[in-house]
Amino acid sequence: YHARAMGNPLRDRRPLAELAAKGQVFEIADKISNFKGLAEIVEADLGSLDADKIPQDWRDAALTGRLEFGFADAQQRVATIEGEVSVTIDAVCQRCLDSFRLPLTAKLRLMPVSGTDQADGNSEFDVWELDDEMVCPADIVEEALIMAMPLAAMHSVAEECGKYEPVANDAEQTTRPFADLKSQLEENR
C-alpha cells in the first residue's frame, strides 16, 4: 500500500463555491520564501544594497494569518473571503537607502466574482474579479500582501532613518526675506 503524499491545501486550486460551502478556514504559518511573487519583489528591492548589507535571513520571515471562506447571502450564491495576513519584510528605505524591517498587514473582506457574475452592491466587501471559479488560497494571500506594500518604503519613525536631521526651533535661524518689505514700501511713498 502506497499512500499518496498529502498536498498543501493552501496551495491547491479548488472551486470557490466548494471552499465557501464548507466554510473552509486556513490558518497560515509559513515563510516568505514559499510565496514566489512576494519573495521576488523583496529580493529585487534588496538587490539595490551592497551584498554585505543584505539581511541573510530575509527569506525566513514568518508569514502568518487566517483566511475564512463563506457566503455573504442566506441563499449561498455570493461567496466571500475574510481574514488577515501579515509578514515583516526586509525593505530598502527610499529616504536613507538602508535596509529596515517593514511590517505588512492585509485585512481581507473580499467578494470574489468571475467575469459573468455581478456584485450585488454589498459595500461591506471589496469586489475581487477572478478569471475562473478555481482559486488558490496562497495566491490570494500573496496578492493581498503585495497590494499592501507601499509605493516608496520608508522608516515609519523619522528618527530611525539614517538621513534624519532634527529641525532647529531657533527663531534667529529663520530667514524671512520679505520681513522688511512693508516698511521699505512705506518709506518710498
Side-chain angles (χ1 to χ4, degrees):
Y1 172 74
H2 294 285
R4 189 179 117 215
M6 291 184 64
N8 182 344
L10 188 63
R11 302 204 184 304
D12 291 342
R13 288 183 56 78
R14 301 200 353 230
L16 175 61
E18 175 187 318
L19 293 170
K22 290 181 179 180
Q24 186 72 49
V25 175
F26 292 94
E27 295 291 338
I28 304 159
D30 213 331
K31 294 180 181 181
I32 193 173
S33 60
N34 293 325
F35 293 84
K36 185 180 176 187
L38 183 59
E40 286 175 354
I41 291 170
V42 173
E43 185 173 32
D45 186 41
L46 294 175
S48 66
L49 296 173
D50 292 336
D52 62 326
K53 291 189 177 186
I54 297 174
Q56 297 304 309
D57 61 347
W58 71 266
R59 289 177 182 83
D60 296 328
L63 191 151
T64 60
R66 176 183 172 94
L67 285 184
E68 187 172 339
F69 291 78
F71 290 101
D73 61 336
Q75 297 79 22
Q76 297 188 346
R77 291 182 292 175
V78 181
T80 61
I81 304 169
E82 296 186 68
E84 184 172 336
V85 291
S86 60
V87 65
T88 299
I89 64 170
D90 287 288
V92 177
C93 175
Q94 298 302 302
R95 194 179 301 131
C96 69
L97 302 177
D98 283 333
S99 68
F100 74 107
R101 308 281 291 162
L102 175 66
L104 297 177
T105 299
K107 293 182 189 233
L108 305 168
R109 290 192 49 82
L110 306 175
M111 183 183 301
V113 296
S114 64
T116 59
D117 294 339
Q118 294 290 324
D120 68 351
N122 190 333
S123 62
E124 293 178 38
F125 295 92
D126 294 326
V127 175
W128 197 327
E129 286 194 39
L130 299 175
D131 294 332
D132 61 28
E133 294 296 320
M134 302 291 282
V135 295
C136 175
D139 292 346
I140 295 167
V141 168
E142 183 172 53
E143 192 166 334
L145 286 171
I146 289 171
M147 290 189 326
M149 294 179 81
L151 292 176
M154 289 185 256
H155 288 95
S156 60
V157 179
E159 289 83 4
E160 295 173 358
C161 187
K163 294 286 185 190
Y164 174 70
E165 294 180 18
V167 177
N169 287 334
D170 193 358
E172 292 176 23
Q173 293 181 355
T174 304
T175 303
R176 296 186 181 167
F178 301 108
D180 294 326
L181 184 61
K182 182 178 179 181
S183 62
Q184 289 176 6
L185 286 173
E186 289 175 358
E187 287 177 14
N188 290 334
R189 283 188 183 179

